[in-house]
Amino acid sequence: MNVNSINKFKEAIDSNFAQEKINTKESKNQTLEDVAKDFESLFVYQMMKSSRKAKLAEGVLSNSANDTYFSLLDQEYSKIISKNQSFGIAEALVRQFGEKKVK
């Protein structure tokens, strides 16, 4: 092996290592964003759940099946709401727990 081929091999390894490091950082940030969005969705769900409990009277057709149905419906609504509208909770969590940039 000559010096040129060794240097090319070293550059290829360094380049591959750098790319893996970048991919790892991107996947960590993506995971953090996903978890933050899930937390925001859970927060919205808890708000909806609390608002359902604040009803003034029992309905004529109220039963445990309706409670289960509305609970599942609220979960889906909260996912959709947090996906389409931002309450700022997810962004705050990403800023708080994201990787700090050194100046």
Side-chain angles (χ1 to χ4, degrees):
M1 283 185 127
N2 62 21
V3 174
N4 250 354
S5 62
I6 292 174
N7 284 339
K8 285 182 181 178
F9 181 69
K10 183 180 178 292
E11 287 174 10
I13 289 175
D14 289 344
S15 174
N16 190 21
F17 180 72
Q19 186 61 40
E20 284 180 19
K21 196 171 183 179
I22 289 169
N23 289 343
T24 302
K25 283 183 180 180
E26 288 174 355
S27 67
K28 282 183 183 177
N29 286 337
Q30 185 63 33
T31 302
L32 177 61
E33 289 172 8
D34 291 341
V35 170
K37 279 297 209 185
D38 288 344
F39 180 80
E40 188 172 64
S41 173
L42 180 64
F43 182 80
V44 172
Y45 169 69
Q46 290 298 325
M47 286 186 349
M48 294 177 78
K49 184 176 164 184
S50 295
S51 68
R52 284 220 190 261
K53 283 186 178 180
K55 60 185 173 185
L56 298 175
E58 287 291 319
V60 176
L61 302 175
S62 293
N63 59 30
S64 64
N66 279 347
D67 294 341
T68 303
Y69 171 77
F70 283 119
S71 174
L72 294 172
L73 184 64
D74 288 345
Q75 286 177 6
E76 291 303 313
Y77 280 159
S78 65
K79 288 177 188 175
I80 293 169
I81 289 169
S82 66
K83 181 180 177 184
N84 294 327
Q85 297 294 320
S86 176
F87 286 85
I89 297 169
E91 290 84 6
L93 289 172
V94 169
R95 275 196 314 268
Q96 178 71 30
F97 298 111
E99 211 169 288
K100 303 287 187 214
K101 297 200 185 220
V102 179
K103 293 180 182 179

